[in-house]
Amino acid sequence: MPYVVTRSCCADASCVLACPVNCIHPAPGEPGFGTTDMLYVDPRTCVDCGACTTACPVDALKPHTALGEAELPFLELNASYYKENAHADRAPMYVVPGQRRLPQGELSVAVVGAGPAGLFAADELLRHAGVRVTVYDRLPTPYGLARAGVAPDHQDTKRVTELFRVIESQAAFSYRLGVEVGTDVTHADLLREHHAVIYAVGAATDKRLGIDGEDLPGSICATDFVAWYNGHPDRAHDDHDLGVDRAVVIGNGNVALDVARVLTADPGVLARTDISDRALTALRSSTIREVVLLGRRGPAQAAFTVPELLALSALKDVDVRVEGWPEDLSPATNEKTRLLSELAARTPVQGRRRIVLRFLTSPVRIIGDGRVRALEVTSTMLHTDDDGTVRARPTGDPRTLETGLVLRCVGYRARPVPGLPFDEETATIPHVAGRVEPGVYVAGWIKRGPTGFIGTNKTCAQETVASLLDDFAAGHLTRPLSTVTAAGDALGLEDWRSIDRAERATGVAQGRPRVKLTDTESLYRAAARSVPAVRG
């Protein structure tokens, strides 16, 4: 009875370490790790011990006999990986970094950003005796995109927060939440109090389309829309008009699929999740019957992952249609195109809401007078560059797609950090192995760009922490000069636990995992604290 990795895989490789027969791949250090959609169990060598399930932070591993109907395709998906990637050498390649013998004296590190990247960095630091970690975040709540980015119907993926609770419970860990670096405290303040600072601030804005009409009401960036339905305090009180027949999502990555699922989901099902109450109210009165996802390139180049496509194909009461399937790509060349070809062959059911995956289509301009009423698009043709990159070229045959809601979902982009260098082209902070300069480091999307999965931050953090510890051992880090605690009135771990208990208690009463508090005043009230005046 082999175990099977399912959709919620976070790819942090905890299961790789737990497996006694090295049957889970790709592992860190192997080709494909961090770029494949997920990890896979080899059914031929799995010995059914179940050790992987204990290690997995998101309950992604299940025995094949326990798979639900929607999860059955993952049995073949796991097996298929090994048909192309044999991994004949069973010797483990993944070696856990050993505990360092640090120079005498305590090492104090500030981590800016309490999302997955920041918390994995804190975890890697705390594996070494004599390290103290203080995690800062501008919000009163931690966990970043794991709290405010993962779609509400993906509660399994959100289980990674249980791992974060273990990390934050360590004795040498502390929070300073509700503190914005650059406003409440400065970079210089942090360096006066700590030996080093790791910036793990993520990518908080979206990429622009650069087309006319992009800023019309009814044209919304997915970053804001996702934050809205997830109850992020910055966006939870926005208003979005869902009283239209068709919404168009520009982009076809995983976030685009999330948005399409939420817009077409049964509100009664969403009511059992941690979706924002305001968003749920809007979705209950929504008239959207069709969501069209536009991709400039073809099916083989679609940005979404196979696990997310499987989740989409398993939807009940929602038709998933595929358009723009060129003749030269019609044969299924991999698992993704095979699944898409099966979806393309489905017979639509009259009266159902539908999600349309439309390929080889590029936006030209958003049309409207006061607000969005249509989107002008053009077909594209694929061209392969000399380096093998497949690009889409417009064919010049514009047509109009009627819509009252356009969601721009073409990727995240990081903001510059005051006082640090910034590469405008890649939207990252230049570094070498996570080191900006001795004492200043980066991890996560601000380091590598918006790529990878939740678990990718683990190996990313290991590299950064290794650079930091090397600098400390070499005497390159300056001893803290200040005994004054920056933002000493910030929310700490116990304050966050009070907020967490309040949200969970309200959730239990409503049959939900939690009911999020979505404004600063309510969050501080749950912590029995007063909202502080601006520091600085």
Side-chain angles (χ1 to χ4, degrees), residues 334-363:
N334 55 32
E335 190 65 23
K336 185 180 294 183
T337 53
R338 186 187 67 77
L339 287 167
L340 286 168
S341 65
E342 289 179 359
L343 286 170
R346 286 186 181 179
T347 301
V349 178
Q350 187 69 26
R352 280 185 176 177
R353 294 182 299 278
R354 58 186 172 273
I355 295 172
V356 180
L357 305 176
R358 183 173 296 178
F359 297 99
L360 298 173
T361 306
S362 180

Side-chain angles (χ1 to χ4, degrees), residues 66-419:
L67 297 175
E69 181 183 352
E71 296 170 322
L72 288 175
F74 286 97
L75 183 60
E76 175 59 27
L77 186 62
N78 278 245
S80 294
Y81 171 79
Y82 291 93
K83 294 175 183 176
E84 298 180 7
N85 305 273
H87 290 284
D89 181 6
R90 309 307 300 179
M93 297 181 65
Y94 186 24
V95 179
V96 181
Q99 189 179 58
R100 297 279 193 116
R101 285 180 158 279
L102 301 180
Q104 188 173 8
E106 191 174 67
L107 169 62
S108 175
V109 181
V111 176
V112 181
L119 290 172
F120 276 121
D123 190 40
E124 290 303 320
L125 285 162
L126 293 171
R127 294 177 187 275
H128 308 279
V131 181
R132 262 189 313 117
V133 177
T134 305
V135 176
Y136 294 77
D137 200 282
R138 72 178 186 87
L139 294 178
T141 56
Y143 306 161
L145 288 180
R147 175 179 168 95
V150 175
D153 61 340
H154 280 355
Q155 291 296 311
D156 48 2
T157 303
K158 294 192 179 206
R159 290 195 188 106
V160 74
T161 59
E162 299 300 325
L163 173 61
F164 298 158
R165 288 187 176 87
V166 174
I167 295 170
E168 68 190 14
S169 297
Q170 297 176 76
F173 179 102
S174 62
Y175 275 133
R176 291 183 194 163
L177 303 173
V179 177
E180 185 169 10
V181 176
T183 301
D184 302 318
V185 298
T186 65
H187 174 63
D189 291 335
L190 298 180
L191 286 176
R192 278 193 291 270
E193 187 180 346
H194 305 279
H195 290 87
V197 183
I198 297 176
Y199 284 92
V201 293
T205 62
D206 65 301
K207 293 180 180 178
R208 300 279 295 177
L209 292 172
I211 62 175
D212 290 343
E214 188 168 4
D215 296 316
L216 279 170
S219 170
I220 307 160
C221 70
T223 307
D224 290 349
F225 196 73
V226 169
W228 170 69
Y229 64 60
N230 272 316
H232 190 294
D234 288 353
R235 308 257 53 115
H237 301 284
D238 290 352
D239 288 311
H240 295 299
D241 182 6
L242 306 184
V244 299
D245 294 331
R246 176 190 289 133
V248 177
V249 180
I250 300 174
N252 60 14
N254 284 349
V255 175
L257 265 60
D258 286 345
V259 169
R261 283 198 327 276
V262 169
L263 285 173
T264 55
D266 178 352
V269 173
L270 291 177
R272 298 192 292 271
T273 73
D274 62 349
I275 191 171
S276 155
D277 284 345
R278 189 181 186 90
L280 183 60
T281 298
L283 288 164
R284 287 190 189 279
S285 59
S286 169
T287 60
I288 293 173
R289 302 299 302 171
E290 179 179 81
V291 179
V292 180
L293 281 72
L294 302 184
R296 292 182 301 108
R297 296 185 296 172
Q301 295 81 36
F304 50 71
T305 61
V306 170
E308 289 300 324
L309 182 59
L310 280 170
L312 195 71
S313 66
L315 292 177
K316 305 295 184 184
D317 302 322
V318 177
D319 273 337
V320 181
R321 298 170 57 185
V322 179
E323 297 178 357
W325 189 277
E327 290 183 4
D328 59 341
L329 289 179
S330 56
T333 55
N334 55 32
E335 190 65 23
K336 185 180 294 183
T337 53
R338 186 187 67 77
L339 287 167
L340 286 168
S341 65
E342 289 179 359
L343 286 170
R346 286 186 181 179
T347 301
V349 178
Q350 187 69 26
R352 280 185 176 177
R353 294 182 299 278
R354 58 186 172 273
I355 295 172
V356 180
L357 305 176
R358 183 173 296 178
F359 297 99
L360 298 173
T361 306
S362 180
V364 176
R365 66 186 177 106
I366 299 173
I367 303 167
D369 183 10
R371 67 169 296 106
V372 172
R373 64 174 180 82
L375 175 68
E376 187 177 284
V377 300
T378 184
S379 297
T380 60
M381 295 180 61
L382 299 184
H383 169 77
T384 304
D385 292 345
D386 293 339
D387 62 0
T389 303
V390 178
R391 301 188 186 278
R393 292 180 173 176
T395 61
D397 59 340
R399 59 192 184 280
T400 300
L401 186 61
E402 299 294 331
T403 180
L405 179 63
V406 173
L407 293 144
R408 313 184 306 272
C409 194
V410 292
Y412 290 96
R413 181 178 172 84
R415 295 191 182 104
V417 174

